[in-house]
Amino acid sequence: DYILHPLNVALILTEISADAPCMAAALLHDTIEDSDATKEEIEELFGSEVALLVDGVTKINKLNFNTETEASAANQRKILVGLSEDPRVIIIKLADRLHNMRTLQYMTPEKQKEKARETMDIYAPIAQRLGISKIKVELDDLSLKYLKPDVYYDLVEKVALRKSVREEFVGNIVKTVHQHMVEAGIKAQVDGRVKHFFSIYKKMVNQNKTIDQIYDLFAVRILVDTCLLYTSDAADE
């Protein structure tokens, strides 16, 4: 059904705490392009803010990207960002592309590779620049899945091996770190994860190693309420 895609785009945005106008625009983001609705009608029904966001996404959808070289990809990223009067337009488009990538299996192999390359070269770097790692990581992994399926599924299989042991290992690290934070009187949220597939793949390529030679497959994140800045003298003390 038509509503399934915009609904899923909106659901993705709930995970990054998007505001109400952004959510409304996500639900409406394809209406100008795919129906006889106009920007003026959307503005009348939902307000100028929502209409501006929907119109911005529509303009981006009309772009034809060229990512044959890194220079052309970089230029395309600048054009895309420049077209957006409001940064929320880009955020909606990233969520739109993420759901498209999640359902890419319904496209032809040629289209799958085209969209995956475009995603890796254009959208994932923009997500990284905006600091939306949750979307960036999944865009990278899904792009790798269609651009290098053999590599992707080999990584999936090998990283999944002894999954319970790895989860227990990460869990113990998180538990130990959290205990030290409590003892130090520091309020913090500690969590751990296995690094995503594209990150592991890049490390294998850059260091010319196999996955068996990559040891830092895990990451631990510590979130605190405040950031303390020290001078060099204070640090020495």
Side-chain angles (χ1 to χ4, degrees):
D1 292 339
Y2 180 85
I3 189 61
L4 290 179
H5 170 65
L7 182 60
N8 275 280
V9 172
L11 287 171
I12 290 169
L13 292 175
T14 65
E15 298 174 8
I16 58 172
S17 304
D19 62 17
C22 191
M23 297 291 292
L27 291 168
L28 295 164
H29 77 273
D30 277 339
T31 50
I32 295 177
E33 185 178 11
D34 294 342
S35 74
D36 58 1
T38 65
K39 179 185 177 182
E40 290 70 29
E41 287 178 302
I42 294 174
E43 184 171 357
E44 182 181 347
L45 291 168
F46 302 100
S48 58
E49 187 176 5
V50 172
L52 180 69
L53 296 176
V54 174
D55 186 54
V57 177
T58 304
K59 289 176 181 176
I60 290 175
N61 289 341
K62 294 178 180 178
L63 293 176
N64 292 315
F65 292 110
N66 175 9
T67 61
E68 292 180 0
T69 66
E70 173 53 34
S72 62
N75 186 52
Q76 295 290 330
R77 290 195 293 268
K78 289 178 183 177
I79 292 173
L80 190 153
V81 172
L83 273 176
S84 307
E85 299 178 39
D86 188 310
R88 289 174 296 178
V89 170
I90 299 292
I91 294 172
I92 295 168
K93 185 57 191 176
L94 289 173
D96 170 58
R97 176 50 62 104
L98 177 54
H99 185 249
N100 286 337
M101 291 297 293
R102 287 177 178 176
T103 56
L104 206 57
Q105 69 269 26
Y106 299 110
M107 286 190 167
T108 64
E110 293 76 15
K111 272 293 181 184
Q112 289 173 352
K113 288 187 180 298
E114 178 187 327
K115 292 295 182 184
R117 173 55 59 193
E118 187 179 275
T119 298
M120 183 172 285
D121 291 344
I122 302 291
Y123 291 103
I126 291 176
Q128 181 175 18
R129 184 178 298 179
L130 292 176
I132 313 176
S133 59
K134 187 177 184 64
I135 290 180
K136 192 266 183 189
V137 163
E138 193 173 349
L139 288 177
D140 276 336
D141 282 352
L142 289 170
S143 297
L144 182 65
K145 177 180 178 180
Y146 289 100
L147 290 173
K148 295 183 179 294
D150 293 342
V151 171
Y152 175 81
Y153 285 110
D154 186 52
L155 283 172
V156 169
E157 181 181 355
K158 289 179 177 177
V159 172
L161 288 175
R162 302 178 68 197
K163 182 179 178 183
S164 60
V165 174
R166 287 188 169 125
E167 288 178 344
E168 182 180 358
F169 178 73
V170 175
N172 287 335
I173 293 175
V174 170
K175 184 178 179 181
T176 301
V177 171
H178 184 263
Q179 182 178 343
H180 284 302
M181 301 296 281
V182 171
E183 291 173 355
I186 301 172
K187 184 180 179 182
Q189 175 187 329
V190 184
D191 57 50
R193 61 175 175 82
V194 176
K195 290 188 176 179
H196 65 287
F197 301 123
F198 183 71
S199 173
I200 297 170
Y201 167 70
K202 276 184 64 178
K203 186 158 290 190
M204 289 167 57
V205 171
N206 293 338
Q207 299 180 10
N208 193 26
K209 292 181 177 179
T210 66
I211 189 171
D212 297 326
Q213 297 171 306
I214 302 294
Y215 296 106
D216 55 335
L217 298 177
F218 313 100
V220 174
R221 179 175 61 184
I222 304 170
L223 298 178
V224 294
D225 289 337
T226 58
C227 178
L228 301 179
L229 300 178
Y230 295 94
T231 65
S232 58
D233 291 340
D236 290 339
E237 291 173 5

